[in-house]
Amino acid sequence: MSIEVEKLIHTSQSEFQKIEVMDTKTYGRMLCLDGIIQLTERDEFSYQEMLAFVSLCSHSNPKTVCVIGGGDGAILSRLVMHPGIEKIFLCELDIGVINAAKEYFPQFNRGFDDPRVTVITSDGAKFLADHENFFDVVITDSSDPIGPADSLFSVGYFKIVHKALTDNGISVSQGECMWLHLDLISKLAGKCKETFNHVEYGSISIPTYPCGQIGMLVCSKGQSPKKPLVRVDEILSKEDLDSLRYYTTELHSGCFVLPKFIASVFQ
């Protein structure tokens, strides 16, 4: 797809990647890393809401949550809507992403400003390895498996995530596009099934990602994540519930209904 850019408002080269923020004609403000779209104001809510609330609603009582990556703060701003969470750790490798997001995407600063949130600039795998049996939920909001995010798609990484989770813990990770990365998805799912009780792939519609689709790999040490253990309307305030534009309790289950060519991987 092509997006008409009206103005480049920020560009910088961090230790890890090129960071750009642009104003576009039809998709609002857009964040790119190494030239790859990470989010736009027009459609970011679909991906962010699904990773946040599929994970939270698949756990009966999440108290401690970790986000690996996610330096733009978009998922973080959804997690803090849950009043029952006691601690949230955001572990982002690149402080440059956090700084750019805080300045150019202030709508997500609610997450950074919440007193339950601790921001750590570190390698995500190393951070998790130091916190065994600690997190109820781990969300891996990574870019594509090239450059800094490559290690977050390894079998070894998911073994670290498993150890970092408490009993009945939930892992939700950016799961790539089923039209382009079926081999990668199949390989990771197969290996994760050796460790987790349940491994599923949920599909998300988002126009500015390749093929207009992205997935999430959902791994559970407890019950199947296909049916929410808690309804979102039982958790959020009316104001926050009304602010959601994509996630619903019905879509929580519906996102796991897949085309035959990928559903067979998860049977």
Side-chain angles (χ1 to χ4, degrees), residues 10-218:
H10 172 84
T11 182
S12 61
Q13 179 66 48
S14 74
E15 179 183 352
F16 305 100
Q17 57 205 337
K18 185 177 183 180
I19 303 166
E20 296 174 297
V21 181
M22 311 166 192
D23 282 335
T24 73
K25 186 173 182 178
T26 56
Y27 280 83
R29 190 155 287 180
M30 179 169 69
L31 172 68
C32 295
L33 300 179
D34 283 339
I36 300 173
I37 297 172
Q38 303 302 305
L39 65 80
T40 75
E41 290 180 320
R42 180 174 177 177
D43 65 2
E44 59 82 25
F45 60 88
S46 64
Y47 172 80
Q48 320 294 348
E49 288 182 14
M50 289 299 282
L51 264 70
F53 294 111
V54 167
S55 60
L56 294 181
C57 293
S58 294
H59 195 286
S60 61
N61 189 27
K63 295 295 184 183
T64 308
V65 178
C66 181
V67 181
I68 302 298
D72 51 57
I75 285 181
L76 193 62
S77 69
R78 273 71 176 200
L79 292 176
V80 297
M81 294 179 181
H82 194 310
I85 297 176
E86 296 175 355
K87 295 180 181 179
I88 305 173
F89 294 83
L90 176 76
C91 185
E92 165 63 55
L93 184 63
D94 194 344
I95 187 64
V97 175
I98 295 174
N99 292 338
K102 285 183 175 180
E103 182 171 358
Y104 298 107
F105 296 91
Q107 64 267 45
F108 303 138
N109 282 348
R110 172 182 179 181
F112 291 115
D113 294 339
D114 193 289
R116 297 171 293 172
V117 172
T118 300
V119 175
I120 297 156
T121 52
S122 175
D123 177 87
K126 292 180 180 178
F127 177 73
L128 290 176
D130 291 334
H131 291 78
E132 289 192 12
N133 192 36
F134 191 84
F135 297 108
D136 297 315
V137 172
V138 172
I139 300 173
T140 305
D141 177 21
S142 65
S143 51
D144 291 327
I146 54 176
D150 182 60
S151 64
L152 302 182
F153 288 84
S154 69
V155 174
Y157 173 72
F158 282 92
K159 289 182 178 179
I160 292 172
V161 171
H162 184 273
K163 290 181 179 180
L165 289 168
T166 57
D167 294 340
N168 300 316
I170 295 287
S171 164
V172 177
S173 303
Q174 192 268 93
E176 290 299 316
C177 176
M178 63 183 174
W179 298 104
L180 301 175
H181 305 107
L182 186 59
D183 288 346
L184 173 63
I185 295 167
S186 179
K187 176 185 175 182
L188 280 180
K191 291 298 182 180
C192 287
K193 286 177 182 179
E194 297 175 5
T195 308
F196 289 89
N197 288 352
H198 297 275
V199 178
E200 305 292 347
Y201 180 92
S203 183
I204 305 166
S205 175
I206 179 166
T208 51
Y209 284 1
C211 298
Q213 186 271 340
I214 196 72
M216 51 184 174
L217 192 64
V218 186

